[in-house]
Amino acid sequence: LRCSFEECSATAEWLLSRTEIRPLVGIVCGSGLGGLAEMLKDQMAFKYSDIPNFPQSTVHGHAGRLVFGKLKGKACVCMQGRFHLYEGYPIHKVTMPMRIFKLLGVETVILTNAAGGLNQDYKVGDIMIIKDHINMPGFAGNNPLAGPNDERFGVRFPSMSDAYDRELLQLAQGVGAELGFGDFLREGVYCVLGGPSFETIAECRMMNRLGADAVGMSTVHEVIVARHCGMRVFALSLITNQAVMDYDSQEKANHEEVLETGQLRAKQLERLVSNMVTHIEHNNNDA
Ligand SMILES: O=P(O)(O)O[C@H]1O[C@H](CO)[C@@H](O)[C@H]1O
């Protein structure tokens, strides 16, 4: 069985035997947001290509390293580069690192991504706390939990009405307000598509009418698997571009713009995440 409990355990044990850091927080860096990993002190980094059973990063802006370290004294592990459906990976490979996180002892996952803004009030550079998602590939049966269920990870039919932890959401709002980020901190619904082609104008209009505030090609699959195995989830989108909603517009979505906006807001995003991490409470604080 691919990405089985045994396979994931072997990978986790390989990592645990090579670092003394026992992370309680797992962080995933979105496109152009890999700088988050550089915040970790006393780093121990593994290239994805060296880790048994691990997929490889193929997208520009995703370095392909798993970094262990301390963030303001808290043990963390950080994926500097994530996997997407459009890279050609089967969906369970895209999400496998969440199971590795779980087996490393992670209790809280913080996911970040770059996304297009669908909400007309949003501006490029806004940070959107994800309060819920719409899983378009899921509607078509492409769910990372499809296939036999291993109860050692979680139940067959996990609830998703509590996917995004409300306490962590409140914490982020508080930390954001303290940092003076109120003007560009939002809360909204993220819609995932398969990519790699960006959306048509009609597709953007449709998603917006369906209640989505931002659109991207990641995160949701990871959230489903993280919740399935009982980790708490917090996620945020950096609005790197405005989705094109108007036939008179000459704008075209492009990955270079996505990476450039990442650069612009990187420092604020890092401060938000690191200040949040210092406030997160864990059951097991001896790491
Ligand atoms: O979601 P992340 O990994 O941040 O990347 C986003 O940016 C890329 C498109 O520019 C897509 O991969 C989209 O999902």
PDB file of all heavy atoms in Angstrom, residues 17-18 24 29 37 42 71 75-76 85 95 109 111 120 135 146 157 165 191 235 239 244 253 279:
ATOM      1  N   SER A  17      15.998   9.623  13.866  1.00  0.00           N
ATOM      2  CA  SER A  17      17.311   9.099  14.258  1.00  0.00           C
ATOM      3  C   SER A  17      18.427  10.050  13.828  1.00  0.00           C
ATOM      4  O   SER A  17      19.578   9.844  14.174  1.00  0.00           O
ATOM      5  CB  SER A  17      17.525   7.709  13.657  1.00  0.00           C
ATOM      6  OG  SER A  17      17.645   7.823  12.253  1.00  0.00           O
ATOM      7  N   ARG A  18      18.089  11.093  13.076  1.00  0.00           N
ATOM      8  CA  ARG A  18      19.115  12.024  12.591  1.00  0.00           C
ATOM      9  C   ARG A  18      19.021  13.419  13.193  1.00  0.00           C
ATOM     10  O   ARG A  18      19.820  14.278  12.863  1.00  0.00           O
ATOM     11  CB  ARG A  18      19.044  12.108  11.060  1.00  0.00           C
ATOM     12  CG  ARG A  18      19.695  10.910  10.417  1.00  0.00           C
ATOM     13  CD  ARG A  18      19.356  10.774   8.952  1.00  0.00           C
ATOM     14  NE  ARG A  18      20.043   9.609   8.400  1.00  0.00           N
ATOM     15  CZ  ARG A  18      19.649   8.352   8.584  1.00  0.00           C
ATOM     16  NH1 ARG A  18      18.572   8.086   9.282  1.00  0.00           N
ATOM     17  NH2 ARG A  18      20.346   7.351   8.066  1.00  0.00           N
ATOM     18  N   LEU A  24       6.725  20.092  17.778  1.00  0.00           N
ATOM     19  CA  LEU A  24       5.297  20.078  18.095  1.00  0.00           C
ATOM     20  C   LEU A  24       4.511  20.882  17.064  1.00  0.00           C
ATOM     21  O   LEU A  24       3.311  20.747  16.945  1.00  0.00           O
ATOM     22  CB  LEU A  24       5.062  20.689  19.485  1.00  0.00           C
ATOM     23  CG  LEU A  24       5.628  19.889  20.647  1.00  0.00           C
ATOM     24  CD1 LEU A  24       5.500  20.666  21.946  1.00  0.00           C
ATOM     25  CD2 LEU A  24       4.931  18.537  20.765  1.00  0.00           C
ATOM     26  N   CYS A  29       5.558  26.001   3.855  1.00  0.00           N
ATOM     27  CA  CYS A  29       5.798  27.280   3.184  1.00  0.00           C
ATOM     28  C   CYS A  29       5.174  27.266   1.792  1.00  0.00           C
ATOM     29  O   CYS A  29       5.442  26.377   0.993  1.00  0.00           O
ATOM     30  CB  CYS A  29       7.285  27.530   3.010  1.00  0.00           C
ATOM     31  SG  CYS A  29       8.215  27.521   4.537  1.00  0.00           S
ATOM     32  N   ALA A  37      11.185  29.388   6.718  1.00  0.00           N
ATOM     33  CA  ALA A  37      12.071  28.337   7.254  1.00  0.00           C
ATOM     34  C   ALA A  37      13.372  28.943   7.777  1.00  0.00           C
ATOM     35  O   ALA A  37      13.979  28.404   8.704  1.00  0.00           O
ATOM     36  CB  ALA A  37      12.370  27.300   6.180  1.00  0.00           C
ATOM     37  N   ASP A  42      19.193  26.983  15.279  1.00  0.00           N
ATOM     38  CA  ASP A  42      19.779  25.644  15.462  1.00  0.00           C
ATOM     39  C   ASP A  42      19.252  24.669  14.420  1.00  0.00           C
ATOM     40  O   ASP A  42      18.780  23.576  14.736  1.00  0.00           O
ATOM     41  CB  ASP A  42      19.459  25.075  16.868  1.00  0.00           C
ATOM     42  CG  ASP A  42      19.856  26.032  17.970  1.00  0.00           C
ATOM     43  OD1 ASP A  42      20.875  26.730  17.798  1.00  0.00           O
ATOM     44  OD2 ASP A  42      19.141  26.104  18.995  1.00  0.00           O
ATOM     45  N   LEU A  71      11.903  27.886  16.924  1.00  0.00           N
ATOM     46  CA  LEU A  71      11.342  29.197  16.627  1.00  0.00           C
ATOM     47  C   LEU A  71      10.979  29.808  17.970  1.00  0.00           C
ATOM     48  O   LEU A  71      10.073  29.307  18.650  1.00  0.00           O
ATOM     49  CB  LEU A  71      10.107  29.022  15.731  1.00  0.00           C
ATOM     50  CG  LEU A  71       9.511  30.255  15.091  1.00  0.00           C
ATOM     51  CD1 LEU A  71      10.552  31.058  14.342  1.00  0.00           C
ATOM     52  CD2 LEU A  71       8.400  29.853  14.129  1.00  0.00           C
ATOM     53  N   ALA A  75      10.217  23.936  19.399  1.00  0.00           N
ATOM     54  CA  ALA A  75      10.706  23.015  18.370  1.00  0.00           C
ATOM     55  C   ALA A  75       9.718  22.945  17.209  1.00  0.00           C
ATOM     56  O   ALA A  75       8.522  22.725  17.411  1.00  0.00           O
ATOM     57  CB  ALA A  75      10.902  21.630  18.976  1.00  0.00           C
ATOM     58  N   CYS A  76      10.224  23.148  15.997  1.00  0.00           N
ATOM     59  CA  CYS A  76       9.373  23.171  14.797  1.00  0.00           C
ATOM     60  C   CYS A  76      10.019  22.352  13.688  1.00  0.00           C
ATOM     61  O   CYS A  76      11.223  22.136  13.685  1.00  0.00           O
ATOM     62  CB  CYS A  76       9.239  24.593  14.245  1.00  0.00           C
ATOM     63  SG  CYS A  76       8.400  25.743  15.322  1.00  0.00           S
ATOM     64  N   LEU A  85      -0.903  18.784  -6.954  1.00  0.00           N
ATOM     65  CA  LEU A  85      -1.468  17.789  -7.873  1.00  0.00           C
ATOM     66  C   LEU A  85      -0.900  17.952  -9.281  1.00  0.00           C
ATOM     67  O   LEU A  85      -0.603  16.979  -9.960  1.00  0.00           O
ATOM     68  CB  LEU A  85      -2.995  17.952  -7.953  1.00  0.00           C
ATOM     69  CG  LEU A  85      -3.818  17.359  -6.821  1.00  0.00           C
ATOM     70  CD1 LEU A  85      -5.303  17.597  -7.109  1.00  0.00           C
ATOM     71  CD2 LEU A  85      -3.538  15.870  -6.674  1.00  0.00           C
ATOM     72  N   THR A  95       0.106  14.696   0.015  1.00  0.00           N
ATOM     73  CA  THR A  95      -0.229  14.911   1.430  1.00  0.00           C
ATOM     74  C   THR A  95       0.606  14.058   2.381  1.00  0.00           C
ATOM     75  O   THR A  95       0.492  14.220   3.598  1.00  0.00           O
ATOM     76  CB  THR A  95      -1.707  14.572   1.677  1.00  0.00           C
ATOM     77  OG1 THR A  95      -1.954  13.226   1.239  1.00  0.00           O
ATOM     78  CG2 THR A  95      -2.611  15.503   0.908  1.00  0.00           C
ATOM     79  N   VAL A 109      -0.395  22.210  12.897  1.00  0.00           N
ATOM     80  CA  VAL A 109       0.159  22.478  11.565  1.00  0.00           C
ATOM     81  C   VAL A 109      -0.232  23.881  11.132  1.00  0.00           C
ATOM     82  O   VAL A 109      -1.396  24.280  11.259  1.00  0.00           O
ATOM     83  CB  VAL A 109      -0.372  21.458  10.526  1.00  0.00           C
ATOM     84  CG1 VAL A 109       0.262  21.702   9.166  1.00  0.00           C
ATOM     85  CG2 VAL A 109      -0.099  20.039  10.970  1.00  0.00           C
ATOM     86  N   LEU A 111      -0.165  26.128   7.769  1.00  0.00           N
ATOM     87  CA  LEU A 111       0.073  26.063   6.329  1.00  0.00           C
ATOM     88  C   LEU A 111      -0.043  27.456   5.732  1.00  0.00           C
ATOM     89  O   LEU A 111      -0.920  28.242   6.126  1.00  0.00           O
ATOM     90  CB  LEU A 111      -0.968  25.153   5.662  1.00  0.00           C
ATOM     91  CG  LEU A 111      -0.970  23.705   6.156  1.00  0.00           C
ATOM     92  CD1 LEU A 111      -2.322  23.344   6.714  1.00  0.00           C
ATOM     93  CD2 LEU A 111      -0.580  22.746   5.061  1.00  0.00           C
ATOM     94  N   GLN A 120     -13.714  41.052  -4.086  1.00  0.00           N
ATOM     95  CA  GLN A 120     -13.408  42.343  -4.712  1.00  0.00           C
ATOM     96  C   GLN A 120     -12.844  43.364  -3.725  1.00  0.00           C
ATOM     97  O   GLN A 120     -12.252  44.365  -4.138  1.00  0.00           O
ATOM     98  CB  GLN A 120     -14.658  42.898  -5.406  1.00  0.00           C
ATOM     99  CG  GLN A 120     -15.113  42.039  -6.572  1.00  0.00           C
ATOM    100  CD  GLN A 120     -14.023  41.868  -7.626  1.00  0.00           C
ATOM    101  OE1 GLN A 120     -13.676  42.796  -8.338  1.00  0.00           O
ATOM    102  NE2 GLN A 120     -13.451  40.657  -7.707  1.00  0.00           N
ATOM    103  N   ASN A 135     -13.427  22.389  -1.792  1.00  0.00           N
ATOM    104  CA  ASN A 135     -12.508  21.410  -2.380  1.00  0.00           C
ATOM    105  C   ASN A 135     -13.034  20.959  -3.741  1.00  0.00           C
ATOM    106  O   ASN A 135     -13.743  19.971  -3.853  1.00  0.00           O
ATOM    107  CB  ASN A 135     -12.392  20.223  -1.408  1.00  0.00           C
ATOM    108  CG  ASN A 135     -11.448  19.153  -1.912  1.00  0.00           C
ATOM    109  OD1 ASN A 135     -10.766  19.333  -2.917  1.00  0.00           O
ATOM    110  ND2 ASN A 135     -11.417  18.028  -1.211  1.00  0.00           N
ATOM    111  N   ALA A 146      -9.180   8.916  -0.210  1.00  0.00           N
ATOM    112  CA  ALA A 146      -9.810   7.855  -1.008  1.00  0.00           C
ATOM    113  C   ALA A 146      -8.905   6.625  -0.975  1.00  0.00           C
ATOM    114  O   ALA A 146      -7.677   6.740  -0.962  1.00  0.00           O
ATOM    115  CB  ALA A 146     -10.009   8.337  -2.442  1.00  0.00           C
ATOM    116  N   PHE A 157     -14.613   8.450   7.988  1.00  0.00           N
ATOM    117  CA  PHE A 157     -15.381   9.631   7.562  1.00  0.00           C
ATOM    118  C   PHE A 157     -15.116  10.827   8.481  1.00  0.00           C
ATOM    119  O   PHE A 157     -15.941  11.138   9.335  1.00  0.00           O
ATOM    120  CB  PHE A 157     -16.885   9.310   7.568  1.00  0.00           C
ATOM    121  CG  PHE A 157     -17.285   8.190   6.652  1.00  0.00           C
ATOM    122  CD1 PHE A 157     -17.700   6.965   7.171  1.00  0.00           C
ATOM    123  CD2 PHE A 157     -17.263   8.352   5.270  1.00  0.00           C
ATOM    124  CE1 PHE A 157     -18.083   5.925   6.326  1.00  0.00           C
ATOM    125  CE2 PHE A 157     -17.644   7.316   4.420  1.00  0.00           C
ATOM    126  CZ  PHE A 157     -18.055   6.098   4.950  1.00  0.00           C
ATOM    127  N   ASP A 165      -9.004  25.412  13.024  1.00  0.00           N
ATOM    128  CA  ASP A 165      -9.149  25.569  14.473  1.00  0.00           C
ATOM    129  C   ASP A 165      -9.535  27.010  14.843  1.00  0.00           C
ATOM    130  O   ASP A 165      -8.833  27.964  14.496  1.00  0.00           O
ATOM    131  CB  ASP A 165      -7.817  25.196  15.132  1.00  0.00           C
ATOM    132  CG  ASP A 165      -7.945  25.119  16.635  1.00  0.00           C
ATOM    133  OD1 ASP A 165      -7.840  26.176  17.301  1.00  0.00           O
ATOM    134  OD2 ASP A 165      -8.171  24.004  17.136  1.00  0.00           O
ATOM    135  N   CYS A 191     -10.552  28.409  -2.110  1.00  0.00           N
ATOM    136  CA  CYS A 191     -11.028  27.385  -3.037  1.00  0.00           C
ATOM    137  C   CYS A 191      -9.828  26.781  -3.755  1.00  0.00           C
ATOM    138  O   CYS A 191      -8.987  27.505  -4.282  1.00  0.00           O
ATOM    139  CB  CYS A 191     -11.972  28.020  -4.056  1.00  0.00           C
ATOM    140  SG  CYS A 191     -12.696  26.831  -5.180  1.00  0.00           S
ATOM    141  N   ALA A 235      -4.283  27.964   8.770  1.00  0.00           N
ATOM    142  CA  ALA A 235      -3.778  28.202   7.414  1.00  0.00           C
ATOM    143  C   ALA A 235      -4.015  29.645   7.003  1.00  0.00           C
ATOM    144  O   ALA A 235      -4.996  30.266   7.423  1.00  0.00           O
ATOM    145  CB  ALA A 235      -4.463  27.265   6.421  1.00  0.00           C
ATOM    146  N   ILE A 239      -2.437  37.017  -0.568  1.00  0.00           N
ATOM    147  CA  ILE A 239      -3.078  37.358  -1.845  1.00  0.00           C
ATOM    148  C   ILE A 239      -2.002  37.986  -2.737  1.00  0.00           C
ATOM    149  O   ILE A 239      -1.590  39.128  -2.533  1.00  0.00           O
ATOM    150  CB  ILE A 239      -4.261  38.338  -1.640  1.00  0.00           C
ATOM    151  CG1 ILE A 239      -5.281  37.768  -0.625  1.00  0.00           C
ATOM    152  CG2 ILE A 239      -4.934  38.665  -2.973  1.00  0.00           C
ATOM    153  CD1 ILE A 239      -5.918  36.443  -1.013  1.00  0.00           C
ATOM    154  N   VAL A 244      -8.620  37.567 -12.269  1.00  0.00           N
ATOM    155  CA  VAL A 244      -9.216  38.406 -13.325  1.00  0.00           C
ATOM    156  C   VAL A 244     -10.691  38.040 -13.468  1.00  0.00           C
ATOM    157  O   VAL A 244     -11.040  36.887 -13.690  1.00  0.00           O
ATOM    158  CB  VAL A 244      -8.467  38.208 -14.664  1.00  0.00           C
ATOM    159  CG1 VAL A 244      -9.044  39.124 -15.736  1.00  0.00           C
ATOM    160  CG2 VAL A 244      -6.975  38.453 -14.478  1.00  0.00           C
ATOM    161  N   ALA A 253      -2.873  36.350 -14.883  1.00  0.00           N
ATOM    162  CA  ALA A 253      -2.183  35.761 -13.739  1.00  0.00           C
ATOM    163  C   ALA A 253      -0.865  35.154 -14.214  1.00  0.00           C
ATOM    164  O   ALA A 253      -0.789  34.614 -15.312  1.00  0.00           O
ATOM    165  CB  ALA A 253      -3.057  34.682 -13.110  1.00  0.00           C
ATOM    166  N   HIS A 279       2.770  31.637  21.133  1.00  0.00           N
ATOM    167  CA  HIS A 279       1.555  31.603  21.951  1.00  0.00           C
ATOM    168  C   HIS A 279       0.808  30.281  21.922  1.00  0.00           C
ATOM    169  O   HIS A 279      -0.158  30.107  22.655  1.00  0.00           O
ATOM    170  CB  HIS A 279       0.587  32.706  21.501  1.00  0.00           C
ATOM    171  CG  HIS A 279       1.035  34.072  21.895  1.00  0.00           C
ATOM    172  ND1 HIS A 279       1.727  34.893  21.048  1.00  0.00           N
ATOM    173  CD2 HIS A 279       0.916  34.731  23.060  1.00  0.00           C
ATOM    174  CE1 HIS A 279       2.002  36.026  21.667  1.00  0.00           C
ATOM    175  NE2 HIS A 279       1.523  35.958  22.897  1.00  0.00           N
TER     176      HIS A 279
END
